[in-house]
Amino acid sequence: MKRRQRTEILVEGSRELAARMAQAITDRYEVKLVEQPSQGLVMVKVRETAKRSLFYLGEVLVSECKVQVEGSMGIGVVKGHDHELAYQLALIDAAYQAGLQETLAWDQTLLDEEARIAATRSQAFAEIAKTKVDFETMDVD
């Protein structure tokens, strides 16, 4: 599983999942905090659709953290002020970078969480679609 997909699942999914995974690493391995969780600003790059050119829309506040586990560096970056999640993401990333044994079981857990997120979104979209007005069939006097 790629880092981007893994991070999206952990950010959008259950906070308990990220906490459990991070706790499994801190219980068994020595964690070196390379960079304390802190806030920063990141430029948001957007592609303009007509000319296909890139431009910077603005800045977004992020929380970021870097840790080292078993000699491998992990980074966690999350939108907003959430130092705890940034730290957990960094731990999980470092575990994957180090190829720790715990990560072998995590892939299926993450895929299950991704399916749960997709089902929740689908249900929300279905609820919204019920309120959609079809102007083609409306009677207008």
Side-chain angles (χ1 to χ4, degrees):
M1 175 176 297
K2 295 199 182 286
R3 178 186 280 172
R4 180 185 178 116
Q5 180 185 11
R6 181 175 67 235
T7 302
E8 285 179 6
I9 294 167
L10 291 168
V11 168
E12 295 177 22
S14 169
R15 292 293 299 266
E16 294 171 5
L17 177 62
R20 268 197 330 266
M21 293 168 79
Q23 189 64 48
I25 298 305
T26 56
D27 288 347
R28 294 195 61 197
Y29 301 94
E30 181 183 340
V31 176
K32 180 181 177 188
L33 193 58
V34 176
E35 183 180 305
Q36 290 278 346
S38 61
Q39 291 180 322
L41 293 172
V42 176
M43 294 295 291
V44 178
K45 192 185 306 186
V46 178
R47 182 171 302 278
E48 191 270 324
T49 55
K51 293 184 180 179
R52 308 278 304 149
S53 61
L54 289 174
F55 68 96
Y56 290 101
L57 184 63
E59 296 175 327
V60 66
L61 177 72
V62 296
S63 296
E64 55 189 339
C65 181
K66 291 180 185 171
V67 300
Q68 192 173 22
V69 176
E70 296 292 301
S72 294
M73 184 74 70
I75 186 166
V77 180
V78 64
K79 181 178 70 172
H81 180 76
D82 197 344
H83 294 320
E84 184 178 352
L85 183 57
Y87 176 72
Q88 292 167 350
L89 291 174
L91 277 172
I92 294 164
D93 186 45
Y96 269 96
Q97 296 300 321
L100 300 181
Q101 182 180 4
E102 287 81 0
T103 62
L104 300 176
W106 288 352
D107 283 344
Q108 187 57 49
T109 304
L110 289 168
L111 290 173
D112 293 343
E113 183 68 9
E114 184 177 42
R116 188 192 67 75
I117 293 166
T120 302
R121 277 190 190 151
S122 178
Q123 183 180 6
F125 287 146
E127 291 294 319
I128 292 169
K130 289 179 186 176
T131 66
K132 187 176 179 181
V133 176
D134 185 3
F135 289 100
E136 297 290 323
T137 59
M138 283 182 63
D139 290 329
V140 179
D141 292 330

